[in-house]
Amino acid sequence: MPATRVRLIAPSGYPHDRAAMSRGVARLRESGCALEGLEVFERTELRYAGGDAERAADINALAVLDTLPDIALSIRGGYGATRLLEHLHYDALRERLAGTGTVLVGHSDFTAIQLALHAKSGLLSFGGPMLGPDFGAETLSGVTLPHFWRTVRSAHGHAEWASSGEHALDLAGPLWGGNLAMLCSLLGTPYFPRIDGGILFVEDVGEPPFRIERLLYQLHLSGVLGRQRALILGDFTDCRPSAYDNGYDLAAGFAQIRRVAGIPVLDGLPFGHAPDKFTLPFGVPARLRVDGGAARLDFSGYPHLA
């Protein structure tokens, strides 16, 4: 069997944790992958993994490569993807990638790329592990990488977790979402896709609870939440209240959103900046079922390895 070809892309921050990057490279090679794009490790400009043109070229190259990689893997998040959106070759990317099995994957800041590719090209991508934080973690999650490989090696995938908030659901719609702050940052731009009847999942890191509520209100007041069939809350890592919050915490903020959203709101999804995360395709048909405290997502129609 030929090696799985993994091309590294660096649309956001520079690889500040070189030990994690080295561990990630070693583990991918141990699993039978051939790596391309290692030169991204040598690029640094301010807080970015190179200049805007270099980072945009990581993605635009996918439109002109003679042989497509099996996986285009973001090395890390941070910030910087937003600066690339005006410079991506959306038509060429659609013509080259649509209908292929190339897996584009990342999370956090990578959400901006996912939103733009779907809005401008209709391309499907994955929210999932990145090289440094996940493949290169000091202690590997028992969930993240097994779920990633199982998902991208099959035409059908699923995710199961314990949830509260809803006890009986069975609904279908396009699955989409990602980092909450990145979603809200692109509202009102040409890079935010109009997805109706969807199953929206969100996560975030390092934001105090009142900001999380405010971001969710932005989705609510803009009409985005009301057009969805369900909202799924992922991990909200290090989103701690301050003394001034006077007892107000994430649970209080989420309870308020449940009151105003007008759609089912589930919690507990392993996705975000915690070690355990599912790999979730962006923009594909999905079915969400809840029975008691057990939630299950089934999805299909996404690029996968041959």
Side-chain angles (χ1 to χ4, degrees):
M1 178 181 291
T4 300
R5 295 177 58 232
V6 178
R7 185 176 183 88
L8 302 179
I9 59 174
S12 304
Y14 70 91
H16 65 300
D17 189 342
R18 297 302 291 266
M21 299 295 164
S22 296
R23 286 192 297 267
V25 167
R27 286 172 179 150
L28 283 166
R29 285 175 171 160
E30 288 167 2
S31 66
C33 297
L35 270 68
E36 307 167 4
L38 295 172
E39 63 273 10
V40 300
F41 294 149
E42 308 309 318
R43 301 186 331 219
T44 304
E45 183 174 303
L46 299 175
R47 63 179 293 121
Y48 310 109
D52 292 353
E54 291 177 297
R55 292 179 291 113
D58 286 351
I59 298 168
N60 287 331
L62 298 173
V64 298
L65 290 171
D66 291 335
T67 304
L68 285 171
D70 298 303
I71 299 169
L73 177 66
S74 185
I75 65 167
R76 61 155 302 193
Y79 170 70
T82 305
R83 295 169 58 146
L84 310 184
L85 302 186
E86 296 177 297
H87 307 293
L88 299 183
H89 300 163
Y90 295 103
D91 290 343
L93 287 164
R94 178 179 60 248
E95 291 175 10
R96 185 71 172 98
L97 294 175
T100 72
T102 296
V103 170
L104 283 73
V105 62
H107 67 276
S108 188
D109 197 51
F110 189 71
T111 301
I113 304 293
Q114 296 183 274
L115 290 164
L117 288 176
H118 196 276
K120 304 289 282 185
S121 303
L123 288 174
L124 306 177
S125 58
F126 292 82
M130 296 190 288
L131 180 71
D134 302 297
F135 287 92
E138 286 194 45
T139 302
L140 284 177
S141 161
V143 171
T144 301
L145 300 190
H147 190 267
F148 170 75
W149 289 117
R150 187 165 63 248
T151 300
V152 302
R153 286 173 173 158
S154 174
H156 307 275
H158 73 274
E160 296 178 284
W161 72 99
S163 180
S164 63
E166 299 289 336
H167 295 284
L169 284 178
D170 190 344
L171 53 86
L175 180 65
W176 70 296
N179 181 260
L180 178 60
M182 297 311 303
L183 284 159
C184 290
S185 74
L186 293 183
L187 276 171
T189 75
Y191 308 107
F192 191 91
R194 169 113 186 180
I195 297 178
D196 296 330
I199 300 169
L200 173 62
F201 60 92
V202 295
E203 60 83 23
D204 220 315
V205 60
E207 299 280 5
F210 79 90
R211 291 185 184 173
I212 297 297
E213 181 185 311
R214 185 167 64 194
L215 289 166
L216 289 168
Y217 251 100
Q218 191 172 357
L219 292 177
H220 166 58
L221 296 174
S222 66
V224 171
L225 281 189
R227 296 198 303 269
Q228 308 311 308
R229 300 206 65 193
L231 172 67
I232 306 179
L233 303 172
D235 289 312
F236 288 81
T237 308
D238 296 329
C239 295
R240 302 186 183 97
S242 69
Y244 180 81
D245 285 306
N246 196 32
Y248 169 90
D249 56 11
L250 277 174
F254 292 151
Q256 175 64 11
I257 295 303
R258 283 187 167 98
R259 284 190 285 268
V260 302
I263 61 173
V265 179
L266 282 71
D267 59 17
L269 176 71
F271 182 81
H273 287 74
D276 292 348
K277 61 178 62 67
F278 291 138
T279 296
L280 302 174
F282 183 113
V284 306
R287 182 182 181 187
L288 172 64
R289 286 172 286 181
V290 180
D291 183 5
R296 178 178 171 116
L297 271 170
D298 289 275
F299 36 80
S300 60
Y302 53 82
H304 59 281
L305 306 185

